[in-house]
Every structure is written in structure tokens, then in C-alpha cells.
Amino acid sequence: MKPTKYFSSLIVLLCLSVNAISQTTAQKIKVNGLLEEWSNLLNHKSTGSFYEFYNDQKNLYVALKFTDDAYIKKVIAGGLTLSINTNGKRNIKEAYQIKFSPIEDYRTTRQFTSSPTKIDSSTLAHRQQVLTKIKELQLINFTQIPDSIISIYNTYGIKLGAKADEKGNLNYELSIPLEQLKLSGDIKTEIAINIQFNAVDVNRRANTNNNRGGAGGMGGGGNRNGGGQGGGGNRNGGQGNNDLIYSAANDFWDKYKTQ
């Protein structure tokens, strides 16, 4: 093959590949917790978490998958905090925050367990059922919305989908209108996003009315592909004593450039 023909063929192949990628990421996302549209989830290894961000002209989307038994229990009994700093700084105080309340008492949650390779039917049924209890979100620092607790069926355009898949992993999908974050779909902006596993009070019953968010001190920052900085844990969270994991908040950061 002549060089000119070779390079022409290569350019065509590259164009086809780029087009395929853009079609995958640009498809309309259904916020239902199934994560069917997400094909490039990043792995934060030390917490067994997978995550990805995406935006279109109207919304910012966040996909989260939790696979580690200990951290799944922590999400259920302690809740999560998602923080978005639209200035691109790793600074929580300046960030928009969405808190997911504890769903269930820790003493109930800890009865259910799994291993990295197997999950029993009762644990799977428990995880599928417990996510249906999520009814509210707590908003902090949203300039157009007063700091408040809102229904997941709200008029602000914030949507949440949560499901447990057939392996017992917890899947969360969230969409937030760009206008609520004072972002524009026409301007590329680098933002910093923090995912925090809130602390669990392992000694008393979680009260979702008085302990919303359940946050403790900030843990170490994480990074793409793990890095082990976002908190301890093991892939076999149901074994041994994980109270140290549960009793302190821990988190990880990443950055995303809107498109």
C-alpha cells in the first residue's frame, strides 16, 4: 500500500472511532440507577467505588457504583455527601453539597454480608429493598435553593436513581441542572468533585431525622485509578472488624471538565 493510501485509511478509521465514542457518551441518559449508558467508569480501588461524570447542555450527570461490602454498608448506614466545586478547587466549604441520609440502622445492616465472589439471596434482597427507602436529599450552598431537605421528586430538576444490581452492588445516578450550579453548557469549565462516605455511629441507632448526612472529619483525598488515599478497607468487607472504617468519614476527589 502506498503511504498516501495508508494514511488516508488510518484517518478514516480514527474518525470512525471518535464518532463511535461520541455517540456512546452523547446518548440520552436515563436517571434510573441501572447505569446502562455508562461505559467508562473509573475505579477508586481502596473503597471499591466506580464513578463517572458527564454533562449535556442542560444537566451534569454523576454515576456511582459501590462494590466493596464494607463500603456498601457504610453508604447504607452512614449516607453519602457529594460536593461540587465549580471553581475547580478541592475546597468543600465553597462547594455545592448534596447529602444522602443514612437509610438504615447500622445494627440491621451489618447482619448482611457478601464476599468478592458470592452474594446470598437474602443480602441481595435486602440491598434491593433498602434503596427504595431513599426519599430525600439535603442541599447545602445552592444559591437558588435555600439550604433544606427536599424530596427526590422535587421541582428543582435534581433527579436520583438508585438500584442494587444482580451482584449486590449499589448503583446511584444523579442529574443536576447546570443552571443550579451556575454553569453553562456553552462554556467549558473544570470542576472538582468530592465523594464522601459519611461516618457511621456504630453504637447507637441512626436517626434519619436528626442525623442527616452524618458527616465526620474529612478523609484523605483519592485519585483516578485508586491510589489508596481515599480510606482503608478490603474487598472482603464482611469479614473481621470494620468499625474503624465505619466510625470515620473518608472521601476522594477528582476533576471533570464540562463539554
Side-chain angles (χ1 to χ4, degrees):
M1 180 183 291
K2 293 183 179 180
T4 53
K5 290 185 177 180
Y6 171 80
F7 286 117
S8 297
S9 300
L10 181 60
I11 290 171
V12 170
L13 288 173
L14 288 173
C15 290
L16 289 173
S17 299
V18 170
N19 186 53
I21 293 171
S22 62
Q23 285 180 351
T24 300
T25 56
Q27 63 181 309
K28 185 175 177 60
I29 294 176
K30 296 178 181 179
V31 183
N32 52 20
L34 298 177
L35 305 188
E36 294 174 322
E37 302 87 1
W38 303 88
S39 57
N40 299 301
L41 292 170
L42 302 166
N43 182 8
H44 187 264
K45 293 181 180 178
S46 64
T47 60
S49 304
F50 293 81
Y51 62 99
E52 190 177 351
F53 315 121
Y54 174 71
N55 73 281
D56 54 24
Q57 288 291 306
K58 293 184 177 181
N59 298 295
L60 173 69
Y61 300 92
V62 178
L64 302 170
K65 177 187 286 287
F66 304 108
T67 65
D68 182 277
D69 189 63
Y71 281 93
I72 286 174
K73 290 177 180 177
K74 191 168 185 178
V75 169
I76 293 173
L80 291 167
T81 301
L82 174 71
S83 300
I84 303 168
N85 189 314
T86 55
N87 294 320
K89 300 177 182 178
R90 298 190 176 196
N91 185 320
I92 294 292
K93 291 182 179 180
E94 299 176 359
Y96 298 94
Q97 294 183 49
I98 299 178
K99 291 191 175 186
F100 302 78
S101 301
I103 310 170
E104 184 179 73
D105 177 66
Y106 167 73
R107 291 171 295 180
T108 301
T109 301
R110 70 180 302 177
Q111 297 175 23
F112 297 91
T113 187
S114 68
S115 74
T117 58
K118 186 177 180 180
I119 183 169
D120 60 52
S121 58
S122 61
T123 299
L124 178 58
H126 169 254
R127 291 181 182 174
Q128 291 174 334
Q129 187 273 336
V130 78
L131 291 181
T132 65
K133 297 180 181 179
I134 301 176
K135 303 297 183 183
E136 297 174 334
L137 299 169
Q138 182 178 2
L139 305 185
I140 299 174
N141 292 339
F142 282 76
T143 56
Q144 301 181 61
I145 307 172
D147 288 359
S148 57
I149 295 166
I150 65 170
S151 167
I152 59 173
Y153 310 106
N154 58 81
T155 59
Y156 302 114
I158 298 173
K159 297 179 182 179
L160 172 69
K163 298 281 187 183
D165 64 23
E166 68 281 358
K167 295 181 179 179
N169 302 319
L170 301 192
N171 297 336
Y172 284 67
E173 261 179 314
L174 187 72
S175 70
I176 309 161
L178 294 179
E179 64 178 1
Q180 297 290 4
L181 302 171
K182 292 192 173 180
L183 294 173
S184 169
D186 298 321
I187 302 174
K188 294 182 179 180
T189 306
E190 184 176 71
I191 61 178
I193 300 178
N194 179 273
I195 298 163
Q196 175 179 289
F197 299 86
N198 297 330
V200 178
D201 188 337
V202 299
N203 297 313
R204 66 183 177 87
R205 177 175 295 275
N207 185 324
T208 56
N209 290 320
N210 300 319
N211 189 28
R212 297 182 188 275
M218 294 301 295
N223 54 41
R224 292 176 185 257
N225 303 320
Q229 300 175 29
N234 54 57
R235 297 294 301 152
N236 212 0
Q239 300 179 6
N241 185 349
N242 286 300
D243 283 358
L244 289 177
I245 295 176
Y246 301 134
S247 61
N250 59 301
D251 68 329
F252 61 91
W253 286 93
D254 207 341
K255 290 195 173 185
Y256 170 74
K257 191 168 187 178
T258 61
Q259 47 191 324

